[in-house]
Amino acid sequence: MAGRRARAISMIGCVHIEFSRFSAGDDTEALVDFLTGEEWPFHASVQEAEAIRRRAAEGLYDDGESRTFWVLADGERAGLVRLQDLADDTPMFDLRVRKAWRGQGLGTAAVAWLTSYLFREFPEVTRIEGHTRQDNHAMRTVFRRSGYVKESHYREAWPSPDGKRYDSIGYAILRRDWLSGTVTPPDWNDELPLS
C-alpha cells in the first residue's frame, strides 16, 4: 500500500487516524467483508458480495468519477469514505463507520479530512454535498460540527429495505465558507407571499 496511504490527519484520544486509498486488486475482499459483515441501518440498499466484486472489477470504487478510502484507526479498517461525482463542481460522499467505532469521533474526523481533501485536490469544486436519513442524528451532528449547512429536506424520499420511507436531509459546505471558517445558511424565507 506504499504511496497510497495518506499521512495521519488526527488523533481521537490516543487513536491514530489515517486514510488509505482503495485498490481493487488488493482490497476487494476486504471491501466485501466490510460492506456485508455489518448492518448499515441508514443506507438504502443491501450489499451483495458478487455485486461488490463486480463493481470493484469495473473500477466503480476508484475511477475518474469516484475515489474510495479506508478510514484506518490504529491500522484497523474502521470506516470507509467514497467520494462520488468527482468530475462535477459539487461532489458527494458516502461515509460508513463500523458499529464498534461509532460514537467515538471517527465520523467527524473523516468528514473533516474528506472536505479538506476535496477542496485541495480538486480546485474546481465549489461545494460538497452529503445526504442522510432524517433519523440519523449522529450523522446530522457530524455535518453541523464540520461546517455543513442543511440545504434540503425531501419528505419520504429515502426507501429502506423494510419498505418504510424516511425523509432525506441534504447538507453542503461551500468552498468560501471552508476557507473563511464561516457558515452561511440559505435564506429559507425567500418566497413571495401567495396572492
Side-chain angles (χ1 to χ4, degrees):
M1 253 194 263
R4 296 184 70 80
R5 186 167 288 182
R7 67 179 173 80
I9 60 96
S10 66
M11 299 285 288
I12 299 173
C14 295
V15 178
H16 178 85
I17 307 299
E18 60 186 324
F19 298 84
S20 176
R21 194 160 167 187
F22 172 80
S23 172
D26 299 332
D27 294 338
T28 298
E29 288 309 308
L31 182 66
V32 169
D33 292 344
F34 182 88
L35 292 175
T36 62
E38 298 260 341
E39 287 191 25
W40 305 105
F42 299 110
H43 288 78
S45 63
V46 175
Q47 300 290 323
E48 295 178 358
E50 286 311 310
I52 297 165
R53 289 185 186 99
R54 184 182 69 253
R55 287 192 296 265
E58 292 170 353
L60 295 179
Y61 292 101
D62 199 304
D63 60 13
E65 285 285 327
S66 66
R67 291 184 187 173
T68 301
F69 294 86
W70 294 106
V71 182
L72 304 174
D74 283 343
E76 178 187 334
R77 289 181 171 125
L80 190 75
V81 171
R82 184 163 179 236
L83 308 175
Q84 301 164 289
D85 301 328
L86 295 177
D88 295 343
D89 63 359
T90 303
M92 299 178 69
F93 67 90
D94 178 44
L95 171 62
R96 295 174 193 242
V97 175
R98 284 190 189 274
K99 186 175 184 177
W101 286 95
R102 293 177 196 154
Q104 298 180 46
L106 198 64
T108 301
V111 171
W113 175 83
L114 73 85
T115 302
S116 178
Y117 177 85
L118 284 169
F119 283 137
R120 289 192 168 123
E121 189 76 14
F122 300 92
E124 68 282 1
V125 168
T126 59
R127 58 194 303 277
I128 303 166
E129 280 185 31
H131 297 264
T132 193
R133 269 185 16 195
Q134 183 181 22
D135 59 333
N136 189 347
H137 300 290
M139 189 64 210
R140 294 180 70 180
T141 298
V142 166
F143 277 124
R144 292 193 314 273
R145 284 186 178 150
S146 303
Y148 284 66
V149 174
K150 180 181 173 182
E151 291 187 341
S152 64
H153 191 123
Y154 299 105
R155 296 174 298 157
E156 297 181 14
W158 193 299
S160 68
D162 66 3
K164 187 172 179 181
R165 298 187 70 82
Y166 293 88
D167 291 1
S168 177
I169 311 299
Y171 290 83
I173 189 168
L174 302 176
R175 176 184 288 276
R176 65 181 163 86
D177 284 359
W178 176 74
L179 287 170
S180 68
T182 60
V183 175
T184 54
D187 179 3
W188 291 105
N189 299 306
D190 66 340
E191 292 186 299
L192 296 174
L194 293 172
S195 50

